[in-house]
Amino acid sequence: MAIDLSLLGADVAAIQTKLAANEIHSVDLVAAYFEQIHKHNLKGAELRALISLAPVDSVLAQAQALDDERKTSGPRGPFHGIPIVIKDSILTDSSLGMTTTCGTAALIEAYGGQNADVVDLVLKAGMVILGKANLSELGLFKADPPNTGGWSSARGQGLSPYVIGGVLPNATFLGHSTPAGSSSGSAVAVAAGFAPIALGAETDGSLVQPASRAGLYAIKPAPGKVSAKGSLGGFLYASIGPIAKSSKDVADMLSLLMGTDLSHALKGSWAGLRVGIVSYGPWEAASFVVEPIESFTYQVQKQIDEAASAISTAGATIIRDVPLQPFWKLSDDMQAEHEIDIEELWDADFRNEFESFMTLYETSPIRSLADLVQYHKDHADVCLPPEHPSQSLLEGAVTGTADPDAAAKVKQVQEKARERINAVFADFDLDVILSHCDGRMASLAAAAGYAVASFPLGFADFNGRAWGMNAISGPGGEEKLLEVMSAWEITFPEARKAPRLRSPTESVHTSAHM
C-alpha cells in the first residue's frame, strides 16, 4: 500500500511517530524504500549509492514480524521497524543475503561468515537492513593520488543527489562535484530517501565529509567508543558512526552503538555555550583535494559570518579566528621534528589488517592482499579503468613491511595534537570549535583521537552541492557535540533540504537551483 510519508524528508523520529500511531507499518515502509531505491540507484538519478540489496522477500518478512511484535509486546526502542543501510566495508553474515565488497569488484560475490558487532546491535534493536552502501574503494586506500571520492570498481561512480551535472571529468578526488568519501554511499542513500539513517565508518573524514556533501548530520565517535570488530578500516584510527537527518537520530544511534544513553545531551539551546570559529584561510582545502572556486569561497565565508551572528543572537558567545593550528601544520611539524609521516599512519598495517579481515569471510576468491592486487590486474577493464588506473598503495603494501613502531608513533602524534587542541580550548574557555567542512578538522581530530561532527549549513550557488561545518569538542566530546548539534538544528532549519532527483546528464545551465 502507498504510505503518507516523504521519504526524502522524514527522519527516524517522524517515522516512529507514525508507526506508533498505526498510520503506517514497517512492511509498507520497507516496500516504499525499495521502490525509491529501484527508481534512483541504477536508474533515474543513477546515484549508485548501494552496491547490494537484501533479498526483498526476506526483509519484508522481517518487517512483518516486527509489525506483529509491535502489536503484541510494543516496540523494542526508537529503531523498531526502521530501515537502515550499512557501509559495505562493514561485514554482514551470509544469512542476510548481502555480500561485503569493501568497494572492490574482486569481492562482489564474497559473503561474510559473521556480522560485525554493530550489525548485531542494529538487528537486535529491531532495524531492517535494506542494503550495503557504495564507498570510495577500500576507503581510498588503493591509489596515490586517490581515486575520485565515491568511486568503486564494485558499483562505479556514486553521485551526489544535489550536484547538477554529475561528477566532472576533471574533478579532483574530493572535488565539488563528487559526493566525497569514503562513506559516500551511506550519505547519498539517506539524502536520496533510500533509508532514513545509515552507518558509515571513518579514519580521516570518511563520515563527516560525505555527510556535509549530502546536507546531513553525522558524528565520528572517538576511536574505541564503538566496536569496530568486523569492519575494514585503519585499526589505529577507525570508528563507526551514524549519518542522519536530525540530531535526535544521531543521538539515538550513537546511544545504541556506544551502549550509553546520550539523549540528555539534546538541550536544543545555545545558552551558555562558547563557540570558537577558526579563520578560513589557513583551513582552506588544498587545491589538489578540492578545486578552488572563488565565488564559492566568498559564499562560504559570508554564510559563516551570518551563521556566527545567528548563533550569537541565539545566546552563545562567539570567538572568531581562534588560533587552532590546521592539520597541515601538525603534519609538517611531526615530519620535521620526529620524522613521522602522519598520513602513512592512517593505514599503517593495511596488508595484515586486510588479510585478517578476510578470515571472517565464509566464501571469497580473495584471501590475501596479493590475491587482490592480481585480481585487479586480471580484470583491469573493471578494476583499473583508464580513469582510475592505479593501485599503487596496494602494491606498496604487498611488498612493504609493517612499521613496528606505528603504535608508538600514533601515541606521539596523539599527544602533540591533543596538546595543541586542549590549549586553545583552555585559553578561550571553549565548548566547541568549528571549521568549514572542506578543511581538515576531521584529520586533526583523528590525529588526536577525538570525536568530530558534521552540521549542514548551505548549498553552493554554482552547482548545488551541500556544505556545512565540522566541529570538535576535545576529550569525551560526543555529548557536547550532540548538544551543539541540537541547537544548530533549531537555529538553521533551512540547512536541511530535500534534493530534486534528476538525471545525472542534466546540465547546470538547463536546471534552476533547488
Side-chain angles (χ1 to χ4, degrees), residues 278-293:
V278 300
S279 301
Y280 183 88
W283 286 85
E284 188 172 12
S287 60
F288 67 88
V289 178
V290 182
E291 314 93 336
I293 303 288

Side-chain angles (χ1 to χ4, degrees), residues 294-316:
E294 186 175 347
S295 63
F296 180 63
T297 299
Y298 174 79
Q299 178 189 350
V300 166
Q301 291 179 298
K302 180 175 182 291
Q303 288 189 245
I304 290 175
D305 287 341
E306 292 169 351
S309 296
I311 293 169
S312 177
T313 299

Side-chain angles (χ1 to χ4, degrees), residues 223-267:
K225 294 290 185 73
V226 173
S227 172
K229 182 182 177 183
S231 67
L232 181 67
F235 73 105
L236 295 168
Y237 290 102
S239 191
I240 295 171
I243 299 176
K245 295 174 182 173
S246 70
S247 58
K248 176 172 170 42
D249 289 357
V250 171
D252 285 344
M253 181 55 72
L254 208 56
S255 296
L256 175 64
L257 299 179
M258 291 175 57
T260 183
D261 184 7
L262 298 169
S263 60
H264 62 276
L266 301 177
K267 299 176 182 178

